[in-house]
Amino acid sequence: MSDVDCIIVGAGLAGLACARELSKAGRSLLLLEAGDCPGGRVATDRVEGFQIDRGFQVYLEAYPEGRRQLDLAALQFGWFEPGALVVDGGRLREVSDPWRRPWAAVKSLLSGMVGVGDGLRTSRLRSRLLAACRAGSLDPQLPGVAGERSTRAFLEANGFSEAFIARFFNPFFGGVFLEHGLETSESIFGFTFAMFALGRAGLPAGGMGAIPTQLAATLPSGSLRLGARVESIAPGHVALAGGESLSARSVVVATDADVAARILPGMVPAPRAWKSTRMVAFAAPKSPLDRPILVVGSDDSGTIDNLSVPSDIAAGYAPPGAALVLVTVRPECTLSDVDAVLAAKREAVKLLGAGAQAWEHLKTVHVPRSLPDETPAARRLRPASPRVADGLFVAGDWCTSASINGALVSGRLAAEAVLSERG
Ligand SMILES: Cc1cc2nc3c(=O)[nH]c(=O)nc-3n(C[C@H](O)[C@H](O)[C@H](O)COP(=O)(O)OP(=O)(O)OC[C@H]3O[C@@H](n4cnc5c(N)ncnc54)[C@H](O)[C@@H]3O)c2cc1C
């Protein structure tokens, strides 16, 4: 038996954020995590002196909830340059942010990468989305709207050319959404676009796993229990694998949607489909890029979906005298892991020069359950409130939006619901 105000199941970002809010409000809590470290889908492994995140992820500087909950200065972020180098017809071409790198944006126009019409449409879209963001009407935490469209339908309705969608929006936001049809809802696109426009994308010095580590460090000692897998739940009671039973006045289930549906049968919507990702990490003698920028692939036939050099961005990703290169493999690629490594290297040699021949494979990371489906139809299935029964609550990115910001928001909302029920 435990004697705490609240048990939280799952120490991903949502569970950690919930625990932090409850602890700040003076509530006693126990955070139960099945795995061997906090962070869930945000984790970093150490391999031969390199820091390898479990799947390519970035933190967006403008995330409002991150500003609220994280000590960003202590995380010592390094930042990507705005924009991207797009692989187009086997060559690298720049798409730049005209508000932050005007001269580079002029070059994008001159190179034909961005037509004048699409440039103007992007400018109008940016103003509209930033105004909506400031007015609070762009919040992806708002309930799903019946008439919400896919990102692709939204871009087409806004007059963007097929060529620009294929050359920029699809590779860049497809990489963020881990899909290539731009089926993700327009509200997620709008918020993400605004976040990229308002700030930079970055990596913390300790790897992405430093974010949950920082949150976990704010909790009272002894409140996080690792290796504690919850098997079933009834209001006020939690049963662990192994037979132990714990009780508390409130229970928050902050797992992913599949686990929540299993341990809270009939209380939460059916789980949504997952999007998966495969990332290959290489050790390189030096960075293949001359600046800290993301490379995204737009060639349908290629293996490389995106390529980054985290050691150019933040300290700690590679040992001295080496660089870490990450390649996210296109979701459609059916090559075996061994062949995907060879194909990625071959493509890198063509794009970035013969130096890529010296890259050594460090690790291939598979994340089969990366992001829940965020089509407009899937988003309408989100729970209406974190409270699913008396004393029972849910949190997780599937309740809000599939991002670091969304997971942090959902944890805070669940904590607020616990506090308002229990006073
Ligand atoms: C490859 C990849 C790329 C991404 N890219 C970005 C990005 O660039 N920017 C961005 O903002 N977001 C990105 N995301 C999304 C973001 O990482 C997630 O939305 C967020 O981490 C989800 O947090 P969560 O707490 O909701 O869920 P999770 O992280 O899944 O946490 C759930 C926790 O519950 C635990 N658990 C499960 N079952 C049990 C049980 N029975 N008992 C006890 N504990 C249990 C799990 O072990 C886990 O720790 C990416 C995610 C992935 C995987």
Side-chain angles (χ1 to χ4, degrees):
M1 292 286 284
S2 69
D3 188 17
V4 290
D5 294 321
C6 186
I7 291 177
I8 302 155
V9 182
L13 292 178
L16 288 162
C18 180
R20 176 182 169 278
E21 290 294 319
L22 290 173
S23 159
K24 265 175 46 193
R27 297 298 189 278
S28 58
L29 62 101
L30 187 57
L31 177 54
L32 301 172
E33 167 56 46
D36 58 7
C37 65
R41 274 172 274 157
V42 181
T44 303
D45 295 310
R46 276 160 187 85
V47 180
E48 297 175 29
F50 293 84
Q51 286 176 175
I52 304 181
D53 295 330
R54 282 194 209 147
F56 176 62
Q57 301 206 32
V58 290
Y59 177 82
L60 301 186
E61 185 180 28
Y63 277 156
E65 200 65 21
R67 291 186 174 173
R68 183 175 186 151
Q69 297 197 30
L70 301 171
D71 179 351
L72 296 174
L75 288 166
Q76 297 176 48
F77 278 93
W79 304 103
F80 285 88
E81 258 182 28
L85 295 176
V86 179
V87 182
D88 181 50
R91 287 170 46 212
L92 287 178
R93 308 227 263 169
E94 180 161 2
V95 174
S96 204
D97 180 338
W99 289 267
R100 285 181 285 180
R101 302 193 65 243
W103 180 237
V106 171
K107 281 187 3 202
S108 304
L109 271 172
L110 294 176
S111 74
M113 192 62 195
V114 183
V116 176
D118 286 316
L120 288 173
R121 279 183 278 276
T122 307
S123 164
R124 280 199 296 269
L125 178 69
R126 183 181 192 275
S127 311
R128 200 149 47 89
L129 291 175
L130 293 193
C133 197
R134 279 187 214 105
S137 56
L138 199 62
D139 185 346
Q141 278 50 262
L142 297 172
V145 186
E148 208 173 342
R149 296 159 290 186
S150 68
T151 299
R152 167 166 280 281
F154 170 82
L155 293 171
E156 286 168 356
N158 278 275
F160 285 98
S161 73
E162 188 49 47
F164 191 53
I165 294 175
R167 278 166 151 184
F168 178 66
F169 284 115
N170 200 30
F172 192 86
F173 286 92
V176 174
F177 302 152
L178 304 180
E179 64 180 19
H180 273 159
L182 294 176
E183 293 304 325
T184 288
S185 123
E186 64 180 287
S187 64
I188 300 288
F189 166 76
F191 180 76
T192 312
F193 184 103
M195 293 298 102
F196 274 106
L198 286 168
R200 297 164 293 179
L203 299 169
M208 290 299 284
I211 297 175
T213 301
Q214 181 187 82
L215 284 172
T218 65
L219 303 180
S221 102
S223 58
L224 170 62
R225 212 168 122 184
L226 300 173
R229 180 172 300 280
V230 169
E231 286 293 336
S232 64
I233 289 179
H237 295 279
V238 168
L240 291 176
E244 190 181 353
S245 176
L246 301 168
S247 62
R249 290 167 73 203
S250 311
V251 177
V252 178
V253 175
T255 63
D256 64 48
D258 293 10
V259 177
R262 183 160 50 75
I263 59 181
L264 295 173
M267 289 194 211
V268 292
R272 284 141 48 175
W274 283 98
K275 293 182 274 188
S276 63
T277 183
R278 174 163 54 153
M279 182 189 83
V280 184
F282 294 101
K286 65 183 189 65
S287 174
L289 302 175
D290 58 7
R291 36 206 265 253
I293 193 162
L294 181 67
V295 177
V296 297
S298 77
D299 288 348
D300 283 349
S301 55
T303 307
I304 299 177
D305 200 40
N306 64 57
L307 181 147
S308 61
V309 186
S311 49
D312 285 350
I313 309 300
Y317 270 93
L324 174 68
V325 180
L326 300 180
V327 170
T328 300
V329 176
R330 285 176 67 81
E332 299 81 7
C333 172
T334 53
L335 292 175
S336 69
D337 281 356
V338 172
D339 289 340
V341 167
L342 296 173
K345 259 178 86 164
R346 265 197 312 274
E347 273 170 44
V349 167
K350 279 199 203 136
L351 281 173
L352 304 166
Q357 263 151 1
W359 295 359
E360 283 174 26
H361 176 237
L362 282 169
K363 187 174 175 158
T364 297
V365 179
H366 287 263
V367 190
R369 302 195 307 174
S370 293
L371 299 178
D373 195 0
E374 297 224 276
T375 60
R379 277 178 55 74
R380 284 196 287 278
L381 299 177
R382 285 177 295 148
S385 139
R387 184 174 169 280
V388 293
D390 279 355
L392 256 185
F393 304 82
V394 287
D397 63 350
W398 54 281
C399 304
T400 48
S401 60
S403 70
I404 292 168
N405 191 72
L408 293 174
V409 169
S410 91
R412 174 174 56 79
L413 294 179
E416 287 170 3
V418 170
L419 293 171
S420 76
E421 184 183 76
R422 297 294 178 194

